[in-house]
Amino acid sequence: MNILLTGGTGYIASHTAVVLSSLGYKVFLYDNLSNSKRQVVTQIKKITGSAVTFIKGDIRDSDRIVRLLKRKKIEAVIHFAGLKAVGHSVDRPIDYFDNNVAGTVSLVRAMNLANVKTMVFSSSATVYGNPTYLPLDEIHPKLAVNPYGRTKLHIEELLQDVSDADAEWNISCLRYFNPIGAHESGFIGEEPSDRPNNLMPYLVQVALGDLPYLRVFGGDYPTPDGTGIRDYVHVMDIADGHVAALDFLSKNGGWHALNLGTGSGCSVFELVRIFEETNQCQISAKVVERRPGDVAESYACVEKAYTKLGWRAKRTIPDMCYSAWHFRKNRVV
Ligand code: NAD
Ligand code: UD1
């Protein structure tokens, strides 16, 4: 089966490409390289031993995508392409809506014209906003609190309308919780181009000595140790979730939203401790002010993903900490 991955050289897409390619899918990566590097393609080949095709391009170039879908006989699209930094989205909402929302309109239009009507979309737990109850299930109110989150919500709604209008469409919106970690080979992983915003890449840079200490955003949350709790999930489990979603869509039409998480929360202090124990290192950390927009606690109800997709996260927090560190220590890209 021929699959197009938009945002194909990015963090989550590259791990998904490895799994798909290993299972015999023919994988095409489409990316404008705004937040990733072409060398990722070589790294994927090192892991799988088989070539994946890279095409440099932007999802807003609808005509190009129509030609690509037809020429390469694509049967399904996994749509990862998007801008994802919450802080930037507050400063640059027009860029975020143009890239993420208008980009998806352009992609869906192209898919319609090429009669490719199966899509897995990278959504986010951020669509839920501040939890009104936990664990977060898929019917929890959608209260996205920043422009990035609202782009995800608008895209989900657009895709639902597309599916309602044409029964031939099969769409899964996968709401990732906090994907971290890297492929066990150490050949691919998360490598933000700027100073990291998210916890794991920041932690890794402190461990490397590139940053002096971890700023723990808030030590007075109503959680057992006072620090924020999240549902960290291994990026390779997330990659497996996409295969399960493609399989599901081959048998089920319509629009589906599904959480991908472990169902368990882990605090900042717990993650730091497990990182230190697993990787035999010391992390300096200082509690600072809460980060605006952060919630105390967020974790998924994962029953729907299990019932519908037969998918459960398997890897542990030590697996996530080990692989993230192994990738950065041995970084070659
Ligand atoms: P990433 O930045 O590593 O990957 C996104 C890729 O999309 C990049 O390679 C970038 O160059 C490309 N891209 C961006 N705009 C494009 C455009 N207009 N045309 C073509 N390519 C374009 O991010 P990631 O962490 O791999 O995230 C993948 C998707 O998952 C994103 O949509 C993100 O919003 C979503 N998501 C990520 C997380 C997370 O914690 N990483 C959580 C929830 C949802
Ligand atoms: C953030 C985004 C979310 C996005 C996700 C993946 C916000 C408010 N939310 O989620 O929309 O989908 O990234 O890109 O930005 N922390 C520290 N010190 C740090 C970094 C983080 O203490 O240097 C803490 C945070 O306060 C939080 C936890 O670590 O409690 C996880 O933070 P992070 O990795 O940024 O993820 P989220 O905030 O959950």
Side-chain angles (χ1 to χ4, degrees):
M1 188 174 183
N2 294 0
I3 312 276
L4 181 73
L5 274 53
T6 71
T9 40
Y11 170 48
I12 301 173
S14 56
H15 291 78
T16 306
V18 165
V19 176
L20 289 170
S21 184
S22 310
L23 289 170
Y25 287 84
K26 202 159 177 217
V27 177
F28 297 85
L29 309 178
Y30 186 80
D31 202 299
N32 66 3
L33 301 179
S34 59
N35 197 39
S36 56
K37 295 179 186 145
R38 191 184 281 264
Q39 292 92 308
V40 167
V41 181
T42 317
Q43 299 301 98
I44 294 172
K45 190 174 174 205
K46 273 193 203 164
I47 300 172
T48 61
S50 49
V52 293
T53 307
F54 173 70
I55 304 109
K56 185 172 179 208
D58 197 291
I59 51 169
R60 288 163 291 188
D61 190 347
S62 206
D63 295 345
R64 177 127 191 255
I65 297 178
V66 176
R67 290 196 298 275
L68 179 63
L69 294 171
K70 288 184 178 167
R71 205 174 56 240
K72 302 295 183 189
K73 298 187 169 41
I74 300 294
E75 288 159 83
V77 173
I78 311 186
H79 177 29
F80 295 96
L83 300 176
K84 62 165 185 174
V86 174
H88 288 163
S89 80
V90 175
D91 300 333
R92 296 166 30 208
I94 299 169
D95 291 342
Y96 270 68
F97 275 80
D98 180 43
N99 195 84
N100 295 2
V101 180
T104 304
V105 172
S106 150
L107 174 65
V108 172
R109 190 189 299 283
M111 290 175 67
N112 226 10
L113 285 169
N115 205 29
V116 178
K117 295 185 175 174
T118 299
M119 177 190 272
V120 179
F121 168 62
S122 296
S123 191
S124 167
T126 197
V127 296
Y128 297 121
N130 286 335
T132 56
Y133 60 85
L134 287 165
L136 288 158
D137 57 22
E138 287 83 353
I139 56 170
H140 184 282
K142 314 306 172 287
L143 305 161
V145 290
N146 53 60
Y148 165 70
R150 282 189 282 273
T151 67
K152 291 292 176 191
L153 205 45
H154 283 306
I155 295 168
E156 283 203 4
E157 288 166 354
L158 159 73
L159 296 177
Q160 191 159 18
D161 287 340
V162 167
S163 153
D164 287 347
D166 177 353
E168 286 181 6
W169 275 87
N170 313 322
I171 301 172
S172 281
C173 296
L174 301 182
R175 295 178 182 153
Y176 314 149
F177 276 65
N178 288 64
I180 57 171
H183 187 267
E184 61 186 10
S185 62
F187 289 155
I188 53 172
E190 185 173 18
E191 197 173 26
S193 33
D194 302 330
R195 183 185 167 110
N197 297 307
N198 298 117
L199 180 57
M200 181 55 89
Y202 205 101
L203 202 52
V204 167
Q205 292 207 9
V206 174
L208 281 171
D210 290 348
L211 290 167
Y213 60 89
L214 175 72
R215 297 164 306 160
V216 177
F217 296 136
D220 58 353
Y221 282 109
T223 59
D225 65 19
T227 66
I229 289 180
R230 295 291 183 276
D231 187 340
Y232 298 99
V233 51
H234 199 297
V235 67
M236 291 305 293
D237 279 327
I238 294 277
D240 291 339
H242 290 79
V243 178
L246 282 176
D247 189 43
F248 172 74
L249 291 180
S250 69
K251 299 169 202 131
N252 297 276
W255 178 96
H256 310 266
L258 297 138
N259 287 341
L260 294 189
T262 63
S264 302
C266 172
S267 76
V268 176
F269 280 157
E270 281 174 306
L271 192 73
V272 170
R273 183 183 53 75
I274 297 171
F275 189 95
E276 288 180 327
E277 274 173 21
T278 307
N279 298 319
Q280 294 297 302
C281 64
Q282 290 277 305
I283 300 289
S284 323
K286 284 186 198 167
V287 175
V288 299
E289 289 293 296
R290 291 182 182 189
R291 182 173 61 179
D294 270 355
V295 300
E297 208 168 347
S298 164
Y299 54 90
C301 171
V302 292
E303 289 320 303
K304 188 173 175 191
Y306 186 61
T307 315
K308 297 274 184 197
L309 310 182
W311 174 90
R312 268 202 204 290
K314 296 191 210 84
R315 292 152 177 100
T316 63
I317 300 266
D319 295 336
M320 302 176 209
C321 290
Y322 177 77
S323 60
W325 179 228
H326 180 59
F327 166 66
R328 279 310 298 260
K329 261 193 331 183
N330 303 297
R331 178 170 108 234
V332 283
V333 174

